[in-house]
Amino acid sequence: LNMFKLLSPMNRVIARVLKRTTLGSTRCLSSLRKTTQLKNMIQSDSLEFIMEAHNGLTAKIVEEAGFKGIWGSGLSISAALGVRDSNEASWTQVMDVLEFMSDNTSIPILLDGDTGYGNFNNARRLVKKLEQRGIAGVCIEDKLFPKTNSFIAVEGGQPLADIEEFSLKLTAMKDSQSDPDFQVIARVEAFIAGWDLDEALKRAEAYRVAGADAILMHSKKADPSDIEAFVNVWENRLPIVIVPTKYYTTPTDKFRDWKISMAIWANHNIRASIQAIQATSKQIFEDESLVGVEKKIVDVSEIFRLQNVAELKEAEKKYLNGK
């Protein structure tokens, strides 16, 4: 017997409501907003990881690899566009790239937003535009516009922004967001610029008070001593994000011991792709043939799969009179 038929009319209504509520809760859990996903990662008690991507294709690959979030690297996006990481690509050009990345994935993107592309007014407009494109958060660094990549040596050290001005920029960004879960992360460049722990701590605390959701503490040392020193005095006032590009030999469990919230693998996909393209192009040029490379690279069908060509075929059956 169909048990539903045995219910009274009122109980049938209740059963329908309960069913819808249960299904709605399930959908809600499985389809959190991207901003909420990123916020949960940053505030998690576990160490989380996000991976660099620089266009819609690499963003899809990062998601398929299993990562829960994407780092929209300024260095990598600039490199993919063939320009320097010195704000030579305009913020609207970066935004265009991000839109393709966001459309092609279901996991959150944290943008490497350089200095916010100008003063507080540029930065707060940036937040609004990122939200419109489904970007989950932005990280801005306390250096001067136009920025210089942190790993490029500058005689006398890279100049830093005024603490008060940068703090007010962060506050303006937080005040302008529509989604309460949108994340604004303050990147402290004191160690990069050659300053000491006291300066790093002073800046991080000012940015916390200004409303930052997390602190990205950056270092270019080959060991994590800067990060460890900061962690020891920070006392978990805000979540800490790190970029272990230079101190990559450090065991990841150390980051867990230090209660680091998130580690960013910041530029490795662009570096890997450059190596692969250089080798492939060189071999084809020298061989004047495809025989030596065709079996080493993915079949064109893999490109079609990543582009979701199958969905288009199904849509054509539905919307082109079944043809």
Side-chain angles (χ1 to χ4, degrees):
L1 289 174
N2 187 334
M3 295 302 295
F4 187 76
K5 292 180 179 179
L6 299 178
L7 296 174
S8 68
M10 180 56 71
N11 285 339
R12 290 179 193 174
V13 172
I14 294 172
R16 289 192 186 100
V17 171
L18 288 172
K19 182 178 180 181
R20 287 173 189 152
T21 303
T22 302
L23 289 173
S25 299
T26 302
R27 290 192 191 102
C28 216
L29 288 171
S30 62
S31 58
L32 290 174
R33 298 193 311 274
K34 290 180 178 180
T35 52
T36 307
Q37 292 178 48
L38 180 62
K39 179 181 179 180
N40 290 347
M41 290 177 70
I42 290 173
Q43 295 187 350
S44 170
D45 291 333
S46 302
L47 174 63
E48 302 284 359
F49 303 93
I50 60 175
M51 182 71 186
E52 171 261 317
H54 47 274
N55 55 31
L57 184 66
T58 54
K60 184 70 173 178
I61 291 170
V62 166
E63 181 174 20
E64 288 190 350
F67 284 97
K68 294 161 61 177
I70 296 167
W71 173 244
S73 164
L75 169 62
S76 299
I77 292 173
S78 298
L81 294 173
V83 297
R84 290 172 287 250
D85 186 24
S86 302
N87 295 125
E88 292 185 5
S90 71
W91 73 273
T92 55
Q93 290 171 321
V94 172
M95 198 73 65
D96 287 342
V97 175
L98 288 171
E99 185 170 4
F100 282 104
M101 292 170 62
S102 182
D103 286 349
N104 207 30
T105 51
S106 62
I107 58 177
I109 298 171
L110 174 62
L111 171 65
D112 173 11
D114 295 340
T115 63
Y117 305 107
N119 70 3
F120 80 93
N121 195 41
N122 304 87
R124 66 179 180 173
R125 179 167 171 79
L126 173 66
V127 169
K128 292 181 179 180
K129 291 309 187 182
L130 290 173
E131 286 188 312
Q132 290 172 8
R133 286 161 175 77
I135 306 304
V138 61
C139 176
I140 67 166
E141 60 196 73
D142 56 354
K143 290 195 296 199
L144 302 181
F145 178 88
K147 61 84 60 80
T148 301
N149 186 278
S150 298
F151 299 143
I152 294 177
V154 175
E155 187 175 352
Q158 296 192 15
L160 299 183
D162 175 78
I163 294 178
E164 182 179 8
E165 181 180 356
F166 189 79
S167 297
L168 289 170
K169 184 188 291 188
L170 291 167
T171 301
M173 295 171 75
K174 293 302 294 180
D175 286 347
S176 67
Q177 67 187 66
S178 299
D179 186 330
D181 289 345
F182 184 89
Q183 299 293 285
V184 175
I185 297 176
R187 173 166 149 181
V188 179
E189 294 280 294
F191 292 135
I192 295 292
W195 291 84
D196 59 12
L197 175 60
D198 287 343
E199 182 70 15
L201 184 62
K202 179 172 68 174
R203 287 176 173 270
E205 176 60 14
Y207 306 156
R208 181 192 71 82
V209 172
D213 294 296
I215 298 296
L216 191 160
M217 188 54 61
H218 207 10
S219 174
K220 58 183 177 182
K221 284 185 179 179
D223 64 75
S225 56
D226 285 341
I227 306 303
E228 184 177 16
F230 177 77
V231 167
N232 288 338
V233 296
W234 183 241
E235 299 177 332
N236 292 319
R237 300 177 210 176
L238 269 186
I240 300 173
V241 180
I242 60 172
V243 185
T245 303
K246 292 294 186 180
Y247 47 97
Y248 62 89
T249 59
T250 306
T252 304
D253 280 342
K254 274 193 175 295
F255 305 149
R256 292 190 173 94
D257 293 340
W258 298 339
K259 306 300 181 185
I260 301 297
S261 294
M262 178 176 286
I264 298 172
W265 310 126
N267 50 44
H268 298 80
N269 279 330
I270 190 73
R271 289 161 60 189
S273 64
I274 289 171
Q275 182 182 42
I277 293 169
Q278 286 174 332
T280 300
S281 296
K282 185 174 187 294
Q283 184 165 358
I284 292 174
F285 175 78
E286 291 177 348
D287 294 351
E288 296 184 344
S289 169
L290 299 177
V291 174
V293 301
E294 191 61 44
K295 299 301 181 181
K296 298 178 183 178
I297 58 179
V298 299
D299 189 84
V300 70
S301 62
E302 177 63 1
I303 299 176
F304 298 153
R305 186 191 70 79
L306 289 166
Q307 293 172 315
N308 203 8
V309 169
E311 188 279 333
L312 177 58
K313 290 183 177 180
E314 291 300 313
E316 287 173 344
K317 292 177 184 178
K318 182 176 180 180
Y319 301 117
L320 289 177
N321 299 317
K323 295 180 181 178

